[in-house]
Amino acid sequence: MIELRFLGGAVLQQEERLLSGPAARRHPVALLALLATAPSRTLSRAKAIGLLWPDADEATGRNRLSSILHPLRRALGPAAVFSVSGGLQLDEGAVSCDVWEFRRKLDAGDPAAAARVYCGPFLDGFYLEGSSLFNERVDGERQVLHRAWWEAAQKLAEASDAAGRPRDAAHWWQALAATDPLDSGVAARLVRALANAGSHREALRAAAVHAEGLREELGIEPDAEFARLVEQVRSAPVVRHQVPAVAVEDERPAIAVLPFETLGADRIALAEGLHSGILTRLTTLEGLSVISRTSVRSYRDTDKRPADIAAQLGVRWVLEGEVQVSDGHFRVNVRLIEAPSDRNTWAQAHEGRLTAENFFQAQAEIAGEIADQVSLQLTPEERWRLQENPTASLEAFRLCTEGRMHLDGRAAESMQRALRCFEEALAVDPDYAVAWVGVGDALGLLHAYGYVGEEVLPRAAETIQTALESDPRCAEAHAAFGRLLGQRNLAPESLDELRLAVSLAPGYAEAHNWMSVGLYVTGDAAGALASASRAVALNPLSAESVSNLGCCYLFNGRLEQALKETRRARELGGDYATAAFYEAITLYELERYPEAEALLEGLVIPWVGSGVNTVRALTLAAQGQGAAARKLLAPIRSAGHGFDEGLVLAALGEHEAALDSLAGARLGGLEFAVSYWPSVAVRHLFARVWVPLRDDPRYAQLRQRIDAIYGLETPPGTT
């Protein structure tokens, strides 16, 4: 099947291969676009010639049309473009088109599915030099399709508003505002939806962008009604604690792909790669929830029944199987089990010579069959993603898989070994995007864990940019770049990349997890909770993800849930220190001071700087033990952490000294202790300590300095 993709550009592809050569040149593509959008799908030859070559005489036009039909039929198949009654038609049995799919979804009354198909304006950036008639025809079709998308997106936004889902509504109003930033009606609905979602900062920023656009483009100010709305948002109290637990229950089918039993351990990395490849393909499907590799790997060599595993992971479906690699051949047997009935619903065997083509084809077929078995309705884009191959080299794939296995161990030596594996993979295939991502991830994580200095970050950024140049649709690359931008305190840019990663791979748990961090660091605690909840749904046995969910509950004032999740993270991670730190803060907020103090005793967390001593001092001060709290000021001062010193002084009631320390505190840079920790402490924690300082201009300046770390503007009146 040949796929024609004209929404957002002009792409011809067959399975995972982009078509090139004569058939992909400008005039053949223009003819296909005209045929795809012609009334009744039929275009007369005379009309085609007149649109493509308006200045040509009849004989010349017919010769030119014949000269592009021949390569088209060779590339697409002899019946793909066929003659009918003096005209031309596309054979829908041989060709699919995103424009047709978009219109079918609209006709079926499914605006959400239609909006997913619409990737941008019709033939965006495409034109024919010397044919104004063709360009006018395309522009007219572009407007019709864009208007249809606009109405679909507007319906979705209004339905989300009516259903009380402001975050979903904001997503659609934002999409509409991006296409027409001067529409005050849309801008007002966006501002209102963001405010209703608790994202007052984002609401005010959206209002400011709209107002600036009106001034620059039209030379006018927003009308009085819009100005009143902005003032209402600015003056409204920010309610942080009335957030629903976890958003509406996810009704998508959920699956756990268990690690495959390996027969022939000399090629274990290939068995791991087959397993990871199937997971990666499945995570690109919007309609399926896929448990992360981090959570399923704990079931390797387990004797638990699939039904019991499914119950622990909260899924309906379990895939299990075996892989055997020997003498240049491989065989994989897989079984899909429906957990409630504990029965096999589908089983299949794949075998063949051990080549990249055969190996990746097995992954694609298994993933596609799973989608069919759980009754997913896949878009053409999703079908294409399932078939996409990461590299042409099986050896590069094996090395990259081995690198990921080493990277999972966060010790310095294992991450250095991972880096070497990724570099060896690139020596085999320099165009392997995921291997470039691996290099960037390894370098970024080596820095994040304090094993190397900031000098590695430019190379990390460069390698991830290379991955994006190699494959602009690589979700792992966008997620890695988003995480790296977050490490460099470029939060808005980081969130843009992570949102793009999630749109490309909705089931990528790590992208959701990193997005939650970016959201709460920049003030959106409610949005962070939604992202963290999704991350844990996809990766329920990850100590890091569960700890992060506990943080999000804490930042939203849901203290009992925070306590539950931080304790669960410690159990999962072998007394995970970061989770213990946030559990202690939760206990402090619950006024359970002795428990908090006991948990902090002897706790060492390098990335938080003086944070442990600071929370210990706050706990002691809250119990009236001021002298003991003051003793902890000495190591805080010697570390040069003026923010922590100011926070402790404020807790001791020394408000002037506290404000002086805060005013002189070093903030920003790439150390978490002087960027991340002050941001979350001021935005989300220790309200009782901050209240006496909030009316002082120096406190407002502190907030502005913290916002400046992340390139944000502090809305007027923010305290």
Side-chain angles (χ1 to χ4, degrees):
M1 175 72 74
I2 304 296
E3 295 181 43
L4 308 179
R5 297 166 58 201
F6 296 136
L7 296 174
V11 175
L12 281 61
Q13 58 192 35
Q14 184 173 27
E15 296 178 348
E16 76 278 5
R17 182 174 59 89
L18 294 180
L19 295 184
S20 58
R25 292 174 183 164
R26 195 161 287 270
H27 276 84
V29 172
L31 176 61
L32 292 173
L34 290 172
L35 291 171
T37 55
S40 304
R41 307 275 170 83
T42 303
L43 185 69
S44 72
R45 291 175 178 266
K47 187 71 170 177
I49 292 168
L51 289 168
L52 296 174
W53 303 283
D55 297 330
D57 58 43
E58 182 179 354
T60 301
R62 286 186 174 276
N63 285 337
R64 289 178 177 175
L65 184 60
S66 296
S67 72
I68 65 173
L69 282 172
H70 289 306
L72 274 177
R73 285 168 173 156
R74 279 199 304 271
L76 276 63
V81 182
F82 63 91
S83 300
V84 53
S85 303
L88 297 170
Q89 266 191 9
L90 290 174
D91 180 4
E92 293 189 38
V95 175
S96 69
C97 179
D98 55 357
V99 175
W100 303 342
E101 182 70 12
F102 174 67
R103 286 176 166 153
R104 275 196 290 266
K105 296 297 185 185
L106 288 177
D107 292 341
D110 192 347
R116 285 196 295 270
V117 175
Y118 189 88
C119 297
F122 176 66
L123 286 183
D124 193 22
F126 187 98
Y127 68 96
L128 279 186
E129 191 171 344
S131 180
S132 60
L133 291 176
F134 173 83
N135 297 331
E136 289 169 8
R137 172 77 168 260
V138 167
D139 189 57
E141 189 68 31
R142 187 178 291 142
Q143 292 180 37
V144 168
L145 290 168
H146 179 72
R147 187 64 204 172
W149 169 81
W150 178 283
E151 292 172 355
Q154 188 174 24
K155 284 181 183 177
L156 292 165
E158 291 173 345
S160 298
D161 274 332
R165 299 195 306 271
R167 178 58 58 180
D168 290 344
H171 167 80
W172 293 112
W173 291 122
Q174 181 67 65
L176 292 166
T179 64
D180 188 357
L182 303 183
D183 188 321
S184 292
V186 168
R189 299 293 292 270
L190 171 61
V191 170
R192 189 172 288 111
L194 288 168
N196 289 340
S199 300
H200 287 59
R201 186 186 309 279
E202 289 185 52
L204 293 173
R205 189 179 301 117
V209 168
H210 175 65
E212 187 63 26
L214 291 179
R215 294 186 195 104
E216 289 186 359
E217 298 294 328
L218 304 178
I220 62 175
E221 293 292 326
D223 61 29
E225 184 177 351
F226 188 82
R228 281 194 297 272
L229 170 63
V230 173
E231 187 55 37
Q232 289 170 6
V233 173
R234 181 175 288 121
S235 59
V238 180
V239 180
R240 294 176 41 217
H241 302 332
Q242 297 177 5
V243 181
V246 176
V248 181
E249 184 178 351
D250 192 351
E251 296 181 353
R252 287 174 287 192
I255 185 170
V257 181
L258 301 183
F260 295 148
E261 182 181 349
T262 305
L263 308 174
D266 57 314
R267 306 306 293 272
I268 190 169
L270 287 177
E272 287 280 345
L274 183 70
H275 177 255
S276 295
I278 293 169
L279 282 175
T280 298
R281 293 170 197 266
L282 292 177
T283 58
T284 66
L285 306 182
E286 174 68 32
L288 186 65
S289 237
V290 186
I291 299 299
S292 167
R293 181 172 60 93
T294 308
S295 287
V296 297
R297 69 184 176 190
S298 63
Y299 294 100
R300 180 180 302 283
D301 301 323
T302 184
D303 56 1
K304 290 183 178 178
R305 296 167 53 248
D308 295 331
I309 295 171
Q312 289 178 336
L313 296 176
V315 301
R316 178 181 177 185
W317 303 93
V318 173
L319 185 81
E320 62 178 13
E322 304 84 34
V323 179
Q324 183 170 10
V325 180
S326 62
D327 298 327
H329 287 74
F330 78 100
R331 178 182 176 86
V332 55
N333 300 308
V334 291
R335 296 170 296 283
L336 185 65
I337 300 164
E338 186 179 33
S341 60
D342 199 17
R343 66 184 181 90
N344 288 4
T345 62
W346 165 77
Q348 196 169 76
H350 292 264
E351 59 183 316
R353 287 181 55 247
L354 188 55
T355 65
E357 182 180 359
N358 291 341
F359 200 69
F360 294 138
Q361 184 61 31
Q363 293 179 16
E365 289 180 7
I366 292 169
E369 189 63 39
I370 289 169
D372 292 339
Q373 290 294 324
V374 302
S375 303
L376 294 187
Q377 299 297 316
L378 302 185
T379 67
E381 171 74 8
E382 288 176 323
R383 289 283 182 195
W384 186 86
R385 287 182 189 172
L386 287 183
Q387 295 293 324
E388 193 173 19
N389 292 339
T391 175
S393 167
L394 195 59
E395 176 62 10
F397 178 76
R398 184 193 68 78
L399 286 163
C400 203
T401 301
E402 187 176 332
R404 282 289 161 190
M405 292 165 64
H406 291 311
L407 198 60
D408 285 343
R410 293 300 201 239
E413 183 181 352
S414 64
M415 287 200 276
Q416 291 287 3
R417 289 177 66 189
L419 179 60
R420 289 194 294 272
C421 285
F422 296 131
E423 290 172 336
E424 289 174 22
L426 289 171
V428 178
D429 181 2
D431 296 323
Y432 191 1
V434 175
W436 283 110
V437 174
V439 172
D441 266 345
L443 292 170
L445 288 169
L446 281 164
H447 170 262
Y449 278 80
Y451 299 130
V452 297
E454 298 172 15
E455 68 277 0
V456 304
L457 294 182
R459 185 188 172 205
E462 183 181 341
T463 58
I464 295 172
Q465 288 285 14
T466 303
L468 289 170
E469 290 169 8
S470 177
D471 182 1
R473 296 167 55 260
C474 178
E476 294 96 329
H478 287 289
F481 195 42
R483 179 188 53 75
L484 188 62
L485 289 168
Q487 277 183 255
R488 298 168 67 185
N489 298 333
L490 300 171
E493 297 86 346
S494 168
L495 289 170
D496 286 344
E497 288 294 324
L498 291 167
R499 289 186 181 105
L500 182 53
V502 167
S503 72
L504 291 168
Y508 190 20
E510 286 190 84
H512 289 282
N513 193 53
W514 294 332
M515 189 187 304
S516 72
V517 176
L519 287 169
Y520 66 62
V521 165
T522 53
D524 185 1
L529 178 59
S531 290
S533 300
R534 182 70 184 136
V536 170
L538 294 167
N539 199 2
L541 301 184
S542 163
E544 182 179 1
S545 294
V546 173
S547 174
N548 193 49
L549 177 60
C551 290
C552 290
Y553 278 127
L554 169 62
F555 299 157
N556 281 279
R558 305 185 67 87
L559 301 180
E560 293 299 335
Q561 291 96 327
L563 198 60
K564 174 184 174 184
E565 297 301 336
T566 51
R567 286 178 172 172
R568 186 160 75 92
R570 284 206 292 139
E571 294 170 2
L572 288 169
D575 210 23
Y576 188 40
T578 295
F581 179 59
Y582 282 111
E583 181 184 340
I585 295 175
T586 304
L587 290 166
Y588 168 86
E589 298 284 11
L590 286 167
E591 301 182 21
R592 292 163 59 175
Y593 304 124
E595 294 174 72
E597 188 180 348
L599 200 57
L600 292 164
E601 186 69 34
L603 197 62
V604 177
I605 308 177
W607 67 261
V608 83
S610 296
V612 173
N613 276 336
T614 299
V615 179
R616 286 183 65 200
L618 298 187
T619 303
L620 292 166
Q623 297 176 86
Q625 300 177 40
R630 281 185 175 83
K631 286 182 180 179
L632 292 171
L633 281 172
I636 292 172
R637 284 172 178 150
S638 65
H641 293 146
F643 173 84
D644 297 80
E645 179 183 355
L647 181 54
V648 173
L649 289 171
L652 291 168
E654 299 178 23
H655 298 150
E656 279 299 315
L659 288 164
D660 287 342
S661 291
L662 293 168
R666 181 171 64 96
L667 300 175
L670 302 186
E671 298 174 55
F672 277 16
V674 292
S675 56
Y676 168 92
W677 169 239
S679 181
V680 297
V682 167
R683 297 182 199 281
H684 307 298
L685 302 173
F686 315 125
R688 295 188 297 276
V689 177
W690 296 122
V691 165
L693 310 184
R694 285 182 173 170
D695 291 335
D696 192 289
R698 287 170 290 181
Y699 177 80
Q701 291 167 5
L702 173 68
R703 291 295 301 262
Q704 290 167 3
R705 290 176 63 204
I706 288 173
D707 283 345
I709 294 171
Y710 299 103
L712 306 174
E713 293 182 5
T714 307
T718 298
T719 59

